[in-house]
Amino acid sequence: MVSQHGILLATGLISDHFGPLVAKVCDCLLRQGALQLQEIVRRLNLPPGQVKNSLLVLIQHNCVQAFSSPSPRGDRTMTLYLTIFNNVLHRLRFSKFISVIRADIPESEALIEGLLQNGRLTFDQLVGRTISKVPEGTIRPAREEIRMNFNRLVSARYVERCPKAEPHFNPQEDEQSTTARKRAPKTAEEVLSLEQKVVNTATLSDPERFSEIPYSMEDASKTNDRPHNVVAGAKRKHGAFEVDEELNSTIAENEVLWRVNFEKFIFCLKKKFCADRKKPKLKVGTHPIWESFFEANLTDKDTNSVTSSIGGILEKLGQKEGGAAMSIGQIQPVLEDLQCTTSTGEEFTFDLHKMIEACRNEEIESLVKKKYGQEAFTIFRLLVTQGCAVETDQIIDTTILDKQIVHSTLYKLWNDGYIDTEKIASAAGTGYAQFFVWRAKNTFREQFVDNLYHAALNLRQMVNYIAELLLEGSKDETKLRNRKNILILALTRHDDSLLLFCDF
Amino acid sequence: MPPRKRPLEPSSGMPAQPDVKPVISPPPKSAPAPVPAPAPVPAPGPEILPASILNNLPGPEREVYKRIYEAGNKGMWSQDIRYTMKLAAPTLTKLTRALVQRGILKEVTDVRHRGKKVFMDARIEPSPEITGGTWYHNGQLDTDAVAAVRRRCLDQIDRLGAATPDMVHKGVEREDPRAGYSIDQIRDILQTMALDRVLEECRSTGEGEFSAVRAGRVCYRRGGAPQGGMIEGIPCGVCPRIDECSPDGVISPPTCVYYKKWLQMDF
Ligand code: SF4
């Protein structure tokens, strides 16, 4: 379940981008879970037409997924709508996604921009948009060229075919199959939310999802003035095989809807975050090795680790200043010191997940230190690293801190919900009736994340507040504009924390 | 109640492998053959007082003494003596005072409960549980001593790069032979420094910066500059009133004083 401030933030973003009406529908779905159209209409007391249009906007922008499910009585199927919370929040980070593309496939930047702005488009629409955006007097790109750039995005998995519009998903059946599986040998099965399950059901298989637009011979002769395929004419000229191919290409260009693959972008940002975060800790001369390791990562096996072959690392290293002279013998110990593991010496793997966990802990600890001081930091770290309940005297002993300070700090941390305490009756003969044990609360992270959402919500409100002041007209316009930019920048930076805790 | 101090490590049996890698070179001629330090024999507590003394004590005093002797180095709380022996408070005070005056009992401060009167056989050293351990002086944490030894440990780590507690201990001893820290004390201090992230606990690979440490040993090195603090740059990140703040509430971003100050909205 998304936290309270998470919902407020998501609704706020939707309101900024699509207006209050769409935001209302989004809010209703976020609070209630999956709903039918009539149900939303009833709850919001709005005309069905307006609700329907709002849903269409949300679907177009990948914020809502529809699915069909048998009605409770099982006599008919109904269509339910569900908000994809993460996709709503991704709207905060479009600028970051564009910088990823700018660094990787700069020639395709305009295409990604088009997809981000419009949510879902056919290739044909994208071509029309791209051509119309070209400034007067410059050469218009050929459709052929645009397709090449587009296919690059698909093959690198930055762009995907849209998921099924309304897959069939029955929450009750799913529940039963999960319970059935539970009786079988127990495996550490991840508990998926309804949202994740529906998304998984809607997702196409990988080959479908990332199949590029087929190339057809006809294209070479096509001009931009004739963006629409003249299939009928082509049919007569070619054999049956080519007709098939051409038909596929026509469908892929004119009918298939494409969208940005957020997963891939988040993975790129995650890699970049980890690579950058470690940089201040790198020893002199090891920067190029660390960078080459990340650059050489080609296969996206999973999103929790980076694997690169030693050959790839050497190749990338060769392109860097002073890197060409490095040998495997020099690189290997550096990689090992950076916690890259290898079994054969051929491939090195870095565990992103582990690093992200460590970074999350660092962030929370750092806040504890800032808010409650060095002693609280030490005590809190002890409780987190122990992972179990620790008795007061043992805390005093292990941290070698003054007893009074430990007592007052424990109280403060407990009062603010970071730690839990329990009174335990003492065994007879120890001379004490009871003692206290303390442990880091397992909800402190959720609370922290809720505060992150809250802070983002506040930044956004401040941006809007200053925008309003600007609209009213003021003599301090430049100053206000200046403050607004500071706030926007702060929100972009703050979003890194949200990414770290919620998306990586 | 869980034990307050880790039990003494077994001192007998196989000699532990040294943490430092042996450097193969002929031993310097002048160096005397290393004399193995005698293994510390845990000192047995003193026997109960001889009958000659006990028999001279009045009956009730003798009983009180026996009970307290049995409590060993943890001592006994006056209230507990009263309850077990069913004595009235003034009686007990009289008995214990007499025994203290004879030099048979002593009163010690229990670091956890400074208000409690705890008695102990005068010849017994109070346990660390009572005194608070080595870092306590008269029931108070000796913060200066802790700070001093932390500084010394850090000096050693800076000198050695990565080092095991044993190496740090030896280094500290070499620099100041009169300091007299035990290896356990050094180990405790290193652990708290790792908790503070001043140091980092790691396992030696035996190579590179660990070349002086046998592979696989737990050792410590500098923790590096602390990272984190991403949300501390904005007012709400460290705000003490965030729970009272809401978009349309009395406390809200447009009315917030922290924001006003941060954005220098004084025009
Ligand atoms: S807006 Fe002000 S009062 Fe509200 S959480 Fe942020 S800093 Fe605190």
Side-chain angles (χ1 to χ4, degrees):
Chain A
M1 193 62 202
V2 183
S3 80
Q4 278 311 306
H5 290 101
I7 294 179
L8 288 175
L9 176 63
T11 315
L13 287 173
I14 294 293
S15 171
D16 290 349
H17 295 176
F18 307 118
L21 196 68
V22 184
K24 258 192 196 159
V25 174
C26 179
D27 182 73
C28 174
L29 287 177
L30 278 172
R31 289 181 197 278
Q32 310 298 332
L35 290 181
Q36 276 179 281
L37 175 64
Q38 303 92 294
E39 187 63 11
I40 308 172
V41 169
R42 196 182 61 77
R43 282 175 191 266
L44 294 180
N45 205 7
L46 284 171
Q50 285 185 358
V51 174
K52 201 167 172 185
N53 282 339
S54 302
L55 282 174
L56 286 177
V57 170
L58 289 167
I59 292 172
Q60 168 72 19
H61 287 275
N62 306 304
C63 299
V64 161
Q65 171 74 48
F67 65 96
S68 61
S69 191
S71 65
R73 271 186 280 134
D75 48 357
R76 61 192 173 89
T77 33
M78 53 183 189
T79 304
L80 292 164
Y81 299 91
L82 182 70
T83 321
I84 313 298
F85 175 77
N86 284 351
N87 287 5
V88 178
L89 277 219
H90 289 334
R91 305 193 66 78
L92 258 182
R93 28 196 93 122
F94 283 178
S95 61
K96 286 178 192 162
F97 296 164
I98 289 177
S99 6
V100 168
I101 285 295
R102 197 172 295 153
D104 193 6
I105 316 178
E107 58 277 21
S108 304
E109 186 183 324
L111 296 174
I112 284 290
E113 218 178 82
L115 285 175
L116 286 173
Q117 272 173 17
N118 295 288
R120 303 174 164 198
L121 289 179
T122 64
F123 176 68
D124 203 45
Q125 288 170 322
L126 199 53
V127 170
R129 184 194 175 274
T130 311
I131 290 172
S132 71
K133 293 265 161 160
V134 172
E136 286 287 323
T138 40
I139 311 163
R140 293 219 232 137
R143 189 184 178 90
E144 179 65 5
E145 193 190 329
I146 298 177
R147 179 174 29 229
M148 218 165 68
N149 290 340
F150 184 80
N151 275 345
R152 266 192 205 127
L153 289 175
V154 180
S155 93
R157 306 199 160 187
Y158 286 115
V159 166
E160 62 179 1
R161 292 178 187 229
C162 285
K164 291 171 210 152
E166 196 183 321
H168 180 82
F169 180 79
N170 185 350
Q172 268 143 12
E173 250 171 44
D174 181 76
E175 196 108 309
Q176 279 164 7
S177 69
T178 323
T179 3
R181 250 174 291 149
K182 268 192 197 135
R183 262 178 254 127
K186 267 188 199 158
T187 48
E189 203 182 316
E190 231 185 304
V191 188
L192 295 180
S193 63
L194 175 66
E195 188 182 310
Q196 286 162 313
K197 283 178 190 162
V198 170
V199 167
N200 289 349
T201 322
T203 310
L204 304 173
S205 69
D206 268 11
E208 277 181 279
R209 206 173 151 194
F210 302 111
S211 84
E212 298 169 29
I213 298 178
Y215 179 82
S216 75
M217 293 303 288
E218 174 87 357
D219 292 317
S221 61
K222 249 179 238 162
T223 64
N224 292 327
D225 304 324
R226 222 164 33 114
H228 297 279
N229 258 340
V230 192
V231 184
K235 255 187 196 165
R236 257 173 273 125
K237 275 184 252 159
H238 304 287
F241 175 68
E242 284 157 53
V243 172
D244 256 13
E245 222 178 40
E246 262 202 40
L247 194 64
N248 278 345
S249 138
T250 314
I251 293 173
E253 291 195 3
N254 302 336
E255 282 169 31
V256 173
L257 279 171
W258 301 86
R259 68 170 191 176
V260 159
N261 174 19
F262 290 133
E263 251 171 62
K264 166 79 181 190
F265 280 95
I266 294 295
F267 180 52
C268 290
L269 292 178
K270 180 165 162 179
K271 279 197 290 187
K272 188 168 180 309
F273 177 87
C274 289
D276 289 348
R277 180 92 166 197
K278 226 176 175 129
K279 274 184 187 160
K281 289 202 169 171
L282 294 183
K283 296 203 185 70
V284 190
T286 58
H287 269 93
I289 299 178
W290 182 238
E291 276 171 16
S292 305
F293 170 73
F294 274 92
E295 286 167 18
N297 165 238
L298 288 174
T299 49
D300 299 351
K301 259 193 261 170
D302 65 290
T303 53
N304 280 326
S305 65
V306 171
T307 303
S308 299
S309 72
I310 189 84
I313 301 173
L314 279 172
E315 195 190 311
K316 295 282 174 191
L317 206 50
Q319 297 158 7
K320 290 187 197 296
E321 208 179 318
M326 289 192 197
S327 66
I328 298 186
Q330 282 170 292
I331 299 171
Q332 191 150 343
V334 173
L335 287 175
E336 277 168 11
D337 190 42
L338 289 167
Q339 271 113 41
C340 296
T341 52
T342 180
S343 48
T344 57
E346 280 301 305
E347 278 189 348
F348 285 83
T349 300
F350 181 75
D351 190 339
L352 292 176
H353 182 69
K354 208 164 129 195
M355 173 151 186
I356 292 292
E357 269 304 300
C359 291
R360 288 175 182 163
N361 283 338
E362 276 173 0
E363 290 301 324
I364 296 178
E365 288 163 9
S366 169
L367 183 69
V368 167
K369 187 170 181 170
K370 179 108 186 182
K371 273 178 125 167
Y372 308 95
Q374 173 68 40
E375 287 85 5
F377 170 78
T378 312
I379 295 172
F380 186 68
R381 255 179 66 72
L382 172 71
L383 295 181
V384 171
T385 48
Q386 294 281 307
C388 60
V390 187
E391 192 252 332
T392 320
D393 279 345
Q394 213 184 332
I395 297 175
I396 297 172
D397 274 353
T398 321
T399 57
I400 318 189
L401 290 172
D402 182 75
K403 182 183 143 177
Q404 244 84 45
I405 292 180
V406 171
H407 279 255
S408 63
T409 312
L410 282 171
Y411 175 75
K412 270 189 253 163
L413 288 175
W414 171 78
N415 201 25
D416 282 2
Y418 285 89
I419 58 175
D420 251 343
T421 185
E422 208 177 317
K423 205 187 325 181
I424 292 184
S426 187
T430 50
Y432 307 101
Q434 66 202 20
F435 59 95
F436 288 90
V437 292
W438 308 82
R439 64 162 72 80
K441 235 179 170 166
N442 45 16
T443 53
F444 73 83
R445 262 222 187 142
E446 285 149 43
Q447 199 197 328
F448 185 86
V449 169
D450 188 53
N451 283 352
L452 287 182
Y453 286 133
H454 195 167
L457 182 73
N458 287 350
L459 275 167
R460 187 199 138 263
Q461 199 186 350
M462 279 306 274
V463 172
N464 289 352
Y465 169 67
I466 294 196
E468 266 170 42
L469 290 184
L470 276 166
L471 273 185
E472 282 169 16
S474 149
K475 57 180 183 344
D476 296 308
E477 201 181 311
T478 1
K479 280 186 186 163
L480 281 176
R481 228 169 260 293
N482 198 329
R483 303 300 187 272
K484 192 175 149 203
N485 288 339
I486 294 177
L487 287 165
I488 291 176
L489 192 69
L491 182 55
T492 312
R493 285 230 191 92
H494 178 65
D495 173 55
D496 284 345
S497 307
L498 286 177
L499 279 167
L500 172 63
F501 278 87
C502 314
D503 298 274
F504 287 166
Chain B
M1 183 141 165
R4 283 170 58 87
K5 279 281 156 197
R6 82 172 74 78
L8 281 175
E9 277 163 27
S11 52
S12 57
M14 287 284 290
Q17 272 197 339
D19 294 343
V20 183
K21 269 195 192 171
V23 180
I24 304 180
S25 62
K29 279 190 199 96
S30 58
V35 183
V41 181
E47 300 269 329
I48 195 159
L49 286 174
S52 54
I53 301 181
L54 285 184
N55 289 341
N56 282 338
L57 293 177
E61 276 182 36
R62 192 162 54 222
E63 267 315 294
V64 169
Y65 168 75
K66 274 188 182 161
R67 301 255 174 176
I68 292 177
Y69 172 80
E70 273 158 22
N73 64 1
K74 295 212 172 59
M76 199 164 182
W77 182 27
S78 54
Q79 291 291 337
D80 286 344
I81 314 173
R82 259 186 64 203
Y83 287 128
T84 48
M85 296 185 62
K86 301 195 174 57
L87 294 171
T91 325
L92 179 74
T93 315
K94 219 169 79 199
L95 293 173
T96 49
R97 194 184 297 141
L99 282 163
V100 169
Q101 271 166 8
R102 284 179 206 263
I104 290 176
L105 286 187
K106 64 177 170 189
E107 198 185 319
V108 289
T109 322
D110 183 339
V111 67
R112 294 160 305 175
H113 308 275
R114 292 203 189 111
K116 278 187 178 180
K117 257 186 195 309
V118 175
F119 292 97
M120 196 178 286
D121 186 318
R123 303 160 302 161
I124 299 181
E125 266 302 302
S127 79
E129 202 174 309
I130 300 294
T131 61
T134 34
W135 306 112
Y136 283 77
H137 191 70
N138 290 337
Q140 293 281 354
L141 181 70
D142 190 346
T143 42
D144 290 343
V146 174
V149 67
R150 281 174 71 110
R151 219 163 25 243
R152 284 178 193 233
C153 288
L154 202 56
D155 285 347
Q156 292 304 320
I157 298 280
D158 284 344
R159 194 173 62 80
L160 297 163
T164 61
D166 207 33
M167 290 159 73
V168 175
H169 183 227
K170 288 217 174 75
V172 170
E173 275 197 327
R174 194 175 315 121
E175 258 170 35
D176 182 4
R178 289 167 308 148
Y181 297 114
S182 74
I183 175 72
D184 276 346
Q185 286 175 313
I186 296 290
R187 201 173 279 139
D188 286 349
I189 289 289
L190 289 173
Q191 267 168 9
T192 63
M193 289 172 82
L195 270 185
D196 288 349
R197 284 201 192 268
V198 174
L199 297 181
E200 184 185 18
E201 194 182 285
C202 43
R203 230 164 242 289
S204 166
T205 58
E207 284 171 38
E209 63 172 327
F210 300 111
S211 54
V213 185
R214 204 175 269 278
R217 291 280 156 148
V218 170
C219 55
Y220 293 87
R221 63 176 171 188
R222 272 275 192 177
Q227 285 187 300
M230 278 159 63
I231 72 156
E232 289 151 31
I234 49 171
C236 311
V238 287
C239 177
R241 325 224 19 200
I242 189 158
D243 290 336
E244 302 156 54
C245 176
S246 66
D248 313 305
V250 181
I251 302 182
S252 76
T255 62
C256 167
V257 283
Y258 304 109
Y259 256 117
K260 280 224 167 64
K261 206 167 140 201
W262 187 61
L263 287 173
Q264 299 173 328
M265 296 276 280
D266 44 10
F267 45 85

